[in-house]
PDB file of all heavy atoms in Angstrom:
ATOM      1  N   SER A 742      17.221  45.163  21.374  1.00 89.00           N
ATOM      2  CA  SER A 742      16.748  44.672  22.668  1.00 89.00           C
ATOM      3  C   SER A 742      17.877  44.502  23.678  1.00 89.00           C
ATOM      4  O   SER A 742      17.660  43.989  24.773  1.00 89.00           O
ATOM      5  CB  SER A 742      16.011  43.336  22.490  1.00 89.00           C
ATOM      6  OG  SER A 742      16.844  42.373  21.871  1.00 89.00           O
ATOM      7  N   LEU A 743      19.097  44.934  23.330  1.00 89.00           N
ATOM      8  CA  LEU A 743      20.216  44.877  24.260  1.00 89.00           C
ATOM      9  C   LEU A 743      20.019  45.933  25.345  1.00 89.00           C
ATOM     10  O   LEU A 743      19.555  47.035  25.073  1.00 89.00           O
ATOM     11  CB  LEU A 743      21.529  45.129  23.514  1.00 89.00           C
ATOM     12  CG  LEU A 743      22.827  45.003  24.318  1.00 89.00           C
ATOM     13  CD1 LEU A 743      23.031  43.562  24.778  1.00 89.00           C
ATOM     14  CD2 LEU A 743      24.022  45.448  23.475  1.00 89.00           C
ATOM     15  N   ASP A 744      20.378  45.587  26.585  1.00 90.00           N
ATOM     16  CA  ASP A 744      20.216  46.509  27.705  1.00 90.00           C
ATOM     17  C   ASP A 744      21.269  47.613  27.632  1.00 90.00           C
ATOM     18  O   ASP A 744      22.443  47.392  27.932  1.00 90.00           O
ATOM     19  CB  ASP A 744      20.358  45.754  29.033  1.00 90.00           C
ATOM     20  CG  ASP A 744      19.287  44.697  29.220  1.00 90.00           C
ATOM     21  OD1 ASP A 744      18.243  44.805  28.551  1.00 90.00           O
ATOM     22  OD2 ASP A 744      19.495  43.767  30.022  1.00 90.00           O
ATOM     23  N   TYR A 782      26.731  44.879  13.342  1.00 96.00           N
ATOM     24  CA  TYR A 782      27.632  45.145  14.460  1.00 96.00           C
ATOM     25  C   TYR A 782      27.327  44.153  15.576  1.00 96.00           C
ATOM     26  O   TYR A 782      26.171  44.016  15.990  1.00 96.00           O
ATOM     27  CB  TYR A 782      27.478  46.570  14.977  1.00 96.00           C
ATOM     28  CG  TYR A 782      28.391  46.852  16.143  1.00 96.00           C
ATOM     29  CD1 TYR A 782      29.768  46.945  15.948  1.00 96.00           C
ATOM     30  CD2 TYR A 782      27.898  46.971  17.437  1.00 96.00           C
ATOM     31  CE1 TYR A 782      30.624  47.161  16.999  1.00 96.00           C
ATOM     32  CE2 TYR A 782      28.747  47.195  18.501  1.00 96.00           C
ATOM     33  CZ  TYR A 782      30.109  47.281  18.274  1.00 96.00           C
ATOM     34  OH  TYR A 782      30.964  47.474  19.324  1.00 96.00           O
ATOM     35  N   THR A 783      28.340  43.465  16.073  1.00 93.00           N
ATOM     36  CA  THR A 783      28.153  42.408  17.064  1.00 93.00           C
ATOM     37  C   THR A 783      28.774  42.795  18.399  1.00 93.00           C
ATOM     38  O   THR A 783      29.917  43.270  18.449  1.00 93.00           O
ATOM     39  CB  THR A 783      28.788  41.088  16.582  1.00 93.00           C
ATOM     40  OG1 THR A 783      28.184  40.705  15.349  1.00 93.00           O
ATOM     41  CG2 THR A 783      28.575  39.976  17.602  1.00 93.00           C
ATOM     42  N   ILE A 784      28.009  42.598  19.456  1.00 90.00           N
ATOM     43  CA  ILE A 784      28.538  42.691  20.820  1.00 90.00           C
ATOM     44  C   ILE A 784      28.460  41.289  21.411  1.00 90.00           C
ATOM     45  O   ILE A 784      27.377  40.724  21.554  1.00 90.00           O
ATOM     46  CB  ILE A 784      27.722  43.667  21.687  1.00 90.00           C
ATOM     47  CG1 ILE A 784      27.812  45.084  21.129  1.00 90.00           C
ATOM     48  CG2 ILE A 784      28.218  43.645  23.126  1.00 90.00           C
ATOM     49  CD1 ILE A 784      27.034  46.100  21.934  1.00 90.00           C
ATOM     50  N   LEU A 785      29.630  40.732  21.732  1.00 81.00           N
ATOM     51  CA  LEU A 785      29.658  39.411  22.345  1.00 81.00           C
ATOM     52  C   LEU A 785      29.406  39.567  23.839  1.00 81.00           C
ATOM     53  O   LEU A 785      30.210  40.164  24.557  1.00 81.00           O
ATOM     54  CB  LEU A 785      31.002  38.729  22.100  1.00 81.00           C
ATOM     55  CG  LEU A 785      31.174  38.088  20.725  1.00 81.00           C
ATOM     56  CD1 LEU A 785      32.608  37.645  20.520  1.00 81.00           C
ATOM     57  CD2 LEU A 785      30.231  36.907  20.568  1.00 81.00           C
ATOM     58  N   ASN A 786      28.288  39.047  24.303  1.00 74.00           N
ATOM     59  CA  ASN A 786      27.900  39.172  25.700  1.00 74.00           C
ATOM     60  C   ASN A 786      28.189  37.865  26.414  1.00 74.00           C
ATOM     61  O   ASN A 786      27.728  36.806  25.992  1.00 74.00           O
ATOM     62  CB  ASN A 786      26.412  39.518  25.796  1.00 74.00           C
ATOM     63  CG  ASN A 786      26.051  40.062  27.160  1.00 74.00           C
ATOM     64  OD1 ASN A 786      26.864  40.682  27.831  1.00 74.00           O
ATOM     65  ND2 ASN A 786      24.817  39.838  27.568  1.00 74.00           N
ATOM     66  N   ASN A 787      28.972  37.939  27.489  1.00 66.00           N
ATOM     67  CA  ASN A 787      29.323  36.736  28.228  1.00 66.00           C
ATOM     68  C   ASN A 787      28.110  36.220  28.997  1.00 66.00           C
ATOM     69  O   ASN A 787      27.393  36.990  29.624  1.00 66.00           O
ATOM     70  CB  ASN A 787      30.474  37.041  29.187  1.00 66.00           C
ATOM     71  CG  ASN A 787      31.101  35.787  29.737  1.00 66.00           C
ATOM     72  OD1 ASN A 787      30.529  35.146  30.600  1.00 66.00           O
ATOM     73  ND2 ASN A 787      32.270  35.433  29.236  1.00 66.00           N
ATOM     74  N   LYS A 788      27.878  34.910  28.957  1.00 63.00           N
ATOM     75  CA  LYS A 788      26.700  34.321  29.585  1.00 63.00           C
ATOM     76  C   LYS A 788      26.954  33.825  30.997  1.00 63.00           C
ATOM     77  O   LYS A 788      26.027  33.718  31.794  1.00 63.00           O
ATOM     78  CB  LYS A 788      26.176  33.155  28.733  1.00 63.00           C
ATOM     79  CG  LYS A 788      25.582  33.565  27.412  1.00 63.00           C
ATOM     80  CD  LYS A 788      25.227  32.363  26.564  1.00 63.00           C
ATOM     81  CE  LYS A 788      24.125  31.526  27.177  1.00 63.00           C
ATOM     82  NZ  LYS A 788      23.749  30.404  26.294  1.00 63.00           N
ATOM     83  N   ARG A 795      27.187  34.879  24.037  1.00 77.00           N
ATOM     84  CA  ARG A 795      25.980  35.071  23.230  1.00 77.00           C
ATOM     85  C   ARG A 795      26.183  36.327  22.399  1.00 77.00           C
ATOM     86  O   ARG A 795      26.349  37.414  22.958  1.00 77.00           O
ATOM     87  CB  ARG A 795      24.752  35.212  24.126  1.00 77.00           C
ATOM     88  CG  ARG A 795      23.480  35.594  23.339  1.00 77.00           C
ATOM     89  CD  ARG A 795      22.279  35.718  24.255  1.00 77.00           C
ATOM     90  NE  ARG A 795      21.831  34.436  24.738  1.00 77.00           N
ATOM     91  CZ  ARG A 795      21.501  34.174  25.993  1.00 77.00           C
ATOM     92  NH1 ARG A 795      21.608  35.112  26.909  1.00 77.00           N
ATOM     93  NH2 ARG A 795      21.077  32.981  26.356  1.00 77.00           N
ATOM     94  N   PRO A 796      26.189  36.196  21.076  1.00 86.00           N
ATOM     95  CA  PRO A 796      26.380  37.397  20.241  1.00 86.00           C
ATOM     96  C   PRO A 796      25.073  38.157  20.055  1.00 86.00           C
ATOM     97  O   PRO A 796      24.098  37.623  19.539  1.00 86.00           O
ATOM     98  CB  PRO A 796      26.872  36.807  18.914  1.00 86.00           C
ATOM     99  CG  PRO A 796      26.285  35.429  18.862  1.00 86.00           C
ATOM    100  CD  PRO A 796      26.155  34.961  20.286  1.00 86.00           C
ATOM    101  N   PHE A 797      25.055  39.399  20.504  1.00 91.00           N
ATOM    102  CA  PHE A 797      23.941  40.294  20.218  1.00 91.00           C
ATOM    103  C   PHE A 797      24.341  41.167  19.036  1.00 91.00           C
ATOM    104  O   PHE A 797      25.474  41.661  18.994  1.00 91.00           O
ATOM    105  CB  PHE A 797      23.600  41.168  21.424  1.00 91.00           C
ATOM    106  CG  PHE A 797      22.855  40.456  22.508  1.00 91.00           C
ATOM    107  CD1 PHE A 797      23.525  39.976  23.618  1.00 91.00           C
ATOM    108  CD2 PHE A 797      21.496  40.257  22.413  1.00 91.00           C
ATOM    109  CE1 PHE A 797      22.843  39.310  24.621  1.00 91.00           C
ATOM    110  CE2 PHE A 797      20.800  39.595  23.406  1.00 91.00           C
ATOM    111  CZ  PHE A 797      21.479  39.122  24.519  1.00 91.00           C
ATOM    112  N   GLN A 798      23.421  41.346  18.103  1.00 94.00           N
ATOM    113  CA  GLN A 798      23.777  42.094  16.905  1.00 94.00           C
ATOM    114  C   GLN A 798      22.864  43.300  16.698  1.00 94.00           C
ATOM    115  O   GLN A 798      21.642  43.198  16.848  1.00 94.00           O
ATOM    116  CB  GLN A 798      23.709  41.189  15.669  1.00 94.00           C
ATOM    117  CG  GLN A 798      24.741  40.072  15.697  1.00 94.00           C
ATOM    118  CD  GLN A 798      24.852  39.348  14.367  1.00 94.00           C
ATOM    119  OE1 GLN A 798      24.757  39.962  13.310  1.00 94.00           O
ATOM    120  NE2 GLN A 798      25.046  38.050  14.413  1.00 94.00           N
ATOM    121  N   LEU A 799      23.495  44.409  16.384  1.00 97.00           N
ATOM    122  CA  LEU A 799      22.770  45.551  15.844  1.00 97.00           C
ATOM    123  C   LEU A 799      22.797  45.364  14.335  1.00 97.00           C
ATOM    124  O   LEU A 799      23.830  45.582  13.683  1.00 97.00           O
ATOM    125  CB  LEU A 799      23.442  46.855  16.244  1.00 97.00           C
ATOM    126  CG  LEU A 799      23.453  47.194  17.743  1.00 97.00           C
ATOM    127  CD1 LEU A 799      24.222  48.483  17.993  1.00 97.00           C
ATOM    128  CD2 LEU A 799      22.039  47.309  18.282  1.00 97.00           C
ATOM    129  N   ILE A 800      21.678  44.898  13.798  1.00 98.00           N
ATOM    130  CA  ILE A 800      21.607  44.615  12.363  1.00 98.00           C
ATOM    131  C   ILE A 800      21.842  45.897  11.579  1.00 98.00           C
ATOM    132  O   ILE A 800      21.397  46.979  11.973  1.00 98.00           O
ATOM    133  CB  ILE A 800      20.236  44.016  12.016  1.00 98.00           C
ATOM    134  CG1 ILE A 800      20.057  42.658  12.716  1.00 98.00           C
ATOM    135  CG2 ILE A 800      20.065  43.840  10.509  1.00 98.00           C
ATOM    136  CD1 ILE A 800      18.660  42.082  12.576  1.00 98.00           C
ATOM    137  N   PRO A 932      20.601  36.538  13.374  1.00 96.00           N
ATOM    138  CA  PRO A 932      21.082  37.516  14.363  1.00 96.00           C
ATOM    139  C   PRO A 932      20.138  37.593  15.566  1.00 96.00           C
ATOM    140  O   PRO A 932      18.921  37.502  15.414  1.00 96.00           O
ATOM    141  CB  PRO A 932      21.079  38.837  13.591  1.00 96.00           C
ATOM    142  CG  PRO A 932      21.067  38.453  12.144  1.00 96.00           C
ATOM    143  CD  PRO A 932      20.323  37.168  12.075  1.00 96.00           C
ATOM    144  N   GLN A 933      20.706  37.768  16.735  1.00 94.00           N
ATOM    145  CA  GLN A 933      19.916  37.885  17.957  1.00 94.00           C
ATOM    146  C   GLN A 933      20.009  39.305  18.485  1.00 94.00           C
ATOM    147  O   GLN A 933      21.074  39.915  18.456  1.00 94.00           O
ATOM    148  CB  GLN A 933      20.429  36.912  19.010  1.00 94.00           C
ATOM    149  CG  GLN A 933      19.571  36.862  20.268  1.00 94.00           C
ATOM    150  CD  GLN A 933      19.956  35.710  21.169  1.00 94.00           C
ATOM    151  OE1 GLN A 933      20.799  34.883  20.819  1.00 94.00           O
ATOM    152  NE2 GLN A 933      19.348  35.633  22.332  1.00 94.00           N
ATOM    153  N   GLY A 934      18.870  39.831  18.966  1.00 93.00           N
ATOM    154  CA  GLY A 934      18.916  41.155  19.570  1.00 93.00           C
ATOM    155  C   GLY A 934      17.871  42.131  19.082  1.00 93.00           C
ATOM    156  O   GLY A 934      18.006  43.333  19.296  1.00 93.00           O
ATOM    157  N   SER A 935      16.799  41.624  18.432  1.00 95.00           N
ATOM    158  CA  SER A 935      15.742  42.530  17.951  1.00 95.00           C
ATOM    159  C   SER A 935      14.407  41.801  17.960  1.00 95.00           C
ATOM    160  O   SER A 935      14.347  40.566  17.893  1.00 95.00           O
ATOM    161  CB  SER A 935      16.039  43.021  16.530  1.00 95.00           C
ATOM    162  OG  SER A 935      16.004  41.940  15.605  1.00 95.00           O
ATOM    163  N   HIS A1132      29.991  45.314  26.520  1.00 90.00           N
ATOM    164  CA  HIS A1132      28.741  45.633  27.218  1.00 90.00           C
ATOM    165  C   HIS A1132      29.043  46.202  28.605  1.00 90.00           C
ATOM    166  O   HIS A1132      28.398  47.148  29.057  1.00 90.00           O
ATOM    167  CB  HIS A1132      27.869  44.379  27.321  1.00 90.00           C
ATOM    168  CG  HIS A1132      26.468  44.675  27.732  1.00 90.00           C
ATOM    169  ND1 HIS A1132      25.677  43.768  28.391  1.00 90.00           N
ATOM    170  CD2 HIS A1132      25.688  45.782  27.585  1.00 90.00           C
ATOM    171  CE1 HIS A1132      24.495  44.295  28.628  1.00 90.00           C
ATOM    172  NE2 HIS A1132      24.471  45.510  28.151  1.00 90.00           N
ATOM    173  N   GLN A1210      15.774  40.085  33.208  1.00 60.00           N
ATOM    174  CA  GLN A1210      16.749  39.063  33.606  1.00 60.00           C
ATOM    175  C   GLN A1210      16.098  38.029  34.512  1.00 60.00           C
ATOM    176  O   GLN A1210      16.419  36.844  34.435  1.00 60.00           O
ATOM    177  CB  GLN A1210      17.940  39.707  34.325  1.00 60.00           C
ATOM    178  CG  GLN A1210      18.772  40.650  33.478  1.00 60.00           C
ATOM    179  CD  GLN A1210      19.283  40.005  32.194  1.00 60.00           C
ATOM    180  OE1 GLN A1210      19.420  38.794  32.101  1.00 60.00           O
ATOM    181  NE2 GLN A1210      19.554  40.814  31.200  1.00 60.00           N
TER     182      GLN A1210
END
Side-chain angles (χ1 to χ4, degrees):
S742 57
L743 184 65
D744 297 339
Y782 179 70
T783 301
I784 297 180
L785 280 171
N786 197 30
N787 194 285
K788 291 174 65 177
R795 173 180 288 135
F797 284 99
Q798 295 191 37
L799 295 177
I800 296 172
Q933 186 169 355
S935 65
H1132 193 207
Q1210 296 305 336

